[in-house]
Structures are given as structure tokens and as C-alpha cells.
């Protein structure tokens, strides 16, 4: 499905991004793993290469435009071009009633989830225009479609991810670039392990509110992203695909 494609994954050091590295590589992609924790992405790239896949790691803090440009340049230097990007880096941030939150929560979430995407999109689209097109998948959240209690800045940031997805899809459709988003429901990762530990009972409550009655494995989100990055979704652009066990449908 992703044979001969070069795909950049941000936030590849854990959770959904690390799962995507395996899923995309198995589909035939050369994967470029970007995140801040160098040891993690270097180890994951080595593991993939040992198994006969093609992978390379590049340290990247998405809040820094020069890092995003460097990650894209790394992909084109190492593998010749950039065909796809999974803009997955993001944080959940602290939760509290909106009126009790400090500026710091807002600044951190917006910087990583929104400015980070803005930095990556600009660099990726520039590289894709140079080679005649590509596909981008942004990782939003069910919080990009509906409210999540006590998570106002996160919800706002993930709605912004949807906004960037729509704007970029519209702007570059005639230049061969498709831009879509996935909107995961609760997915087992470091974000959620930490969150479950701090909020006893929350996992059961979310399972109860989810028609399929369970959380997602990171690979289930990566599979949806793989399809959106592949030529099999060639007439799909500007969409947000919930991958949520039916959560937003209820
Ligand atoms: P993880 O905490 O496991 O992964 C988050 C990833 O983002 C890490 O690889 C981290 O790498 C990276 N990251 C964070 N900040 C930066 C930064 N400034 N620059 C570069 N990379 C960064 O959580 P998930 O896998 O769950 O999260 C991945 C995405 O999925 C996020 O955007 C999240 O909002 C979204 N999502 C997750 C859901 C869930 O239930 N898990 C539900 C809906 C959406 P490092 O620290 O090494 O930089």
C-alpha cells in the first residue's frame, strides 16, 4: 500500500507514532522518525533496519520551525524525496475546569499541537510541491470534533488541527497534495497510561461511553493513517476520519 513511498512521522518515539513506524514500514514505506527523544527514535530506527525495513531518525522539536525544516530535509537527503507525512506529535496537557487553568497550559498545548503542525505543514508541503505532490495526515482527536470535559485548550488545539487540514487540502488539491486527518478515540499510549493513573475509573467510564466498549490499540489508528497516506485513498482530501469505536457517532 505504501511501496516506495518516503513517509515522515512526527512524534515517532512512542504510542501511535511508534506503531505507525512499524505499520507504514510493513506496507513498504521508507520511514523517517522525528521526535525530541533521540535515544528512542534511534533505537526504533535501528530495530526497523535490523528487520530489513528502511528507517532513519531525526531529532525534531516541532515547536521550532528550523527543526521541522531539518526533519523534512533529512527525509529528502536520506531517501530522495518526501511522499507522505503523518503529523502526529502532540500532547494532552493538564486537565482542569477552564476558568481555573493558567496561561502555561494554554501556551504549551497550543505551541506543540498547533504551532508544531503549522511548522511541519509548511516544510512538508514545500518539499512535496517540488516533486509533484504527496499526502499528509494530521492527527487530531475526537476532541477535534466534540467537547472533552476539563480539556478546553486541548479541544481547541485539536479543532485547529481540523482547520489546518481543511485549509491546506483546499489550497493544494490541484497541485497533487491531499491533506486529511484522523480523529482517534481513546488509544492506549503513554499519554493515556499517565492519565489513567491520575484519574482512577476514567478508563471504565470511557469504555462505557464508547459503542465498541474498549479503547484502541495504537496500531488501529496507524492503519487508518496508512490508508489515507496511500494511493488507495486518491480521491479523499479535506476529511477527518474518526477512528474511535463509534464514540462521536453516539
Ligand atoms: P504519546 O505520548 O505516546 O506520544 C506523543 C508523541 O509526540 C511522542 O513521540 C513525543 O515525542 C511527541 N512529541 C511531543 N511533543 C513534541 C514536540 N515538541 N516535538 C516533537 N515531538 C513531540 O501519545 P500518543 O501516541 O497517544 O499521541 C500521539 C498523538 O495522538 C497526539 O497528537 C495526541 O493528541 C493524539 N491522540 C491521542 C489519543 C490517545 O488517546 N492516546 C486520542 C486522540 C488523539 P518526544 O517526547 O520524544 O518529543
Amino acid at each position: 500500500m505504501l511501496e516506495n513511498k518516503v513517509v515522515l512521522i512526527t512524534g515517532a518515539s512512542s504510542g501511535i507514532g511508534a506503531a505507525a513506524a512499524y505499520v507504514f514500514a510493513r506496507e513498504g514505506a521508507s520511514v523517517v522518525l522525528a521526535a525530541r527523544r533521540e535515544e528512542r527514535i534511534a533505537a526504533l530506527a535501528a530495530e526497523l533496519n535490523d528487520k530489513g525495513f528502511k528507517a532513519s531518525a531525526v531529532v525534531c522539536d516541532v515547536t521550532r520551525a528550523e527543526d521541522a525544516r531539518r526533519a523534512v530535509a533529512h527525509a529528502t537527503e536520506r531517501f530522495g524525496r518526501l511522499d507522505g507525512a503523518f503529523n502526529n506529535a502532540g500532547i494532552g496537557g493538564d486537565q482542569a475546569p477552564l476558568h481555573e487553568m493558567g496561561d502555561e497550559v494554554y501556551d504549551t498545548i497550543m505551541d506543540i499541537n498547533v504551532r508544531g503542525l503549522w511548522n511541519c505543514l509548511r516544510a512538508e508541503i514545500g518539499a512535496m510541491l517540488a516533486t509533484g505532490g504527496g499526502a499528509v495526515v494530521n492527527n487530531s482527536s475526537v476532541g477535534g470534533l466534540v467537547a472533552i470535559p476539563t480539556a478546553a485548550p486541548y479541544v481547541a488545539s485539536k479543532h485547529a488541527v481540523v482547520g489546518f487540514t481543511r485549509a491546506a487540502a483546499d489550497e493544494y488539491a490541484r497541485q497533487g497534495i491531499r491533506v486529511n486527518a484522523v480523529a482517534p478515540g481513546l488509544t492506549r499510549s503513554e499519554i493515556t497510561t499517565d492519565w489513567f493513573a491520575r484519574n482512577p475509573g476514567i478508563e471504565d467510564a470511557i469504555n462505557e461511553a464508547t459503542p465498541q466498549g474498549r479503547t484502541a490499540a495504537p496500531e488501529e489508528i496507524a492503519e487508518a493513517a496508512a490508508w489515507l497516506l496511500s494511493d488507495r485513498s486518491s480521491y479523499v482530501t479535506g476529511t477527518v476520519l474518526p477512528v474511535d469505536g463509534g464514540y462521536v457517532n453516539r
Side-chain angles (χ1 to χ4, degrees):
M1 192 156 67
L2 296 173
E3 298 85 11
N4 303 318
K5 290 197 187 291
V6 179
V7 180
L8 170 67
I9 303 167
T10 69
S13 57
S14 64
I16 297 168
Y22 262 98
V23 169
F24 299 173
R26 281 199 199 99
E27 295 290 342
S30 300
V31 289
V32 177
L33 314 179
R36 294 168 301 182
R37 285 171 292 176
E38 186 170 15
E39 332 75 61
R40 290 246 193 157
I41 47 173
L44 182 54
E47 206 176 284
L48 285 160
N49 286 316
D50 284 349
K51 293 191 160 104
F53 300 118
K54 291 195 199 100
S56 186
V58 57
V59 174
C60 168
D61 178 343
V62 293
T63 65
R64 299 160 57 93
E66 63 270 30
D67 278 26
R69 284 195 295 268
R70 200 181 57 240
V72 168
H74 182 91
T76 57
E77 280 155 24
R78 177 75 177 72
F79 295 117
R81 57 185 196 284
L82 184 71
D83 302 299
F86 182 32
N87 292 318
N88 161 76
I91 57 161
D94 292 340
Q95 286 189 251
L98 184 151
H99 73 282
E100 291 173 8
M101 278 188 182
D103 286 340
E104 203 185 297
V105 185
Y106 174 92
D107 288 342
T108 310
I109 291 178
M110 288 296 173
D111 213 27
I112 295 176
N113 293 4
V114 185
R115 182 186 296 278
L117 176 62
W118 164 241
N119 286 337
C120 291
L121 270 180
R122 288 182 293 168
E124 292 155 3
I125 288 173
M128 288 174 183
L129 286 173
T131 51
V136 176
V137 176
N138 300 322
N139 200 346
S140 178
S141 163
V142 291
L145 298 170
V146 296
I148 298 174
T150 67
Y154 179 77
V155 168
S157 76
K158 291 300 184 177
H159 276 71
V161 171
V162 171
F164 271 129
T165 301
R166 294 217 161 102
D170 188 59
E171 214 167 313
Y172 296 101
R174 295 205 178 197
Q175 286 152 288
I177 300 176
R178 296 183 301 107
V179 186
N180 291 289
V182 285
L186 200 68
T187 307
R188 296 184 290 281
S189 71
E190 286 182 21
I191 283 186
T192 47
T193 308
D194 184 43
W195 193 50
F196 293 157
R198 282 186 282 122
N199 299 278
I202 195 82
E203 187 173 11
D204 290 342
I206 288 169
N207 287 345
E208 189 56 40
T210 304
Q212 288 194 352
R214 63 171 179 86
T215 52
E219 290 74 15
E220 293 180 286
I221 313 306
E223 289 287 351
W227 179 73
L228 286 168
L229 287 167
S230 81
D231 296 338
R232 288 194 180 165
S233 59
S234 52
Y235 202 51
V236 181
T237 197
T239 61
V240 183
L241 177 63
V243 190
D244 66 347
Y247 185 84
V248 297
N249 179 54
R250 177 163 271 182

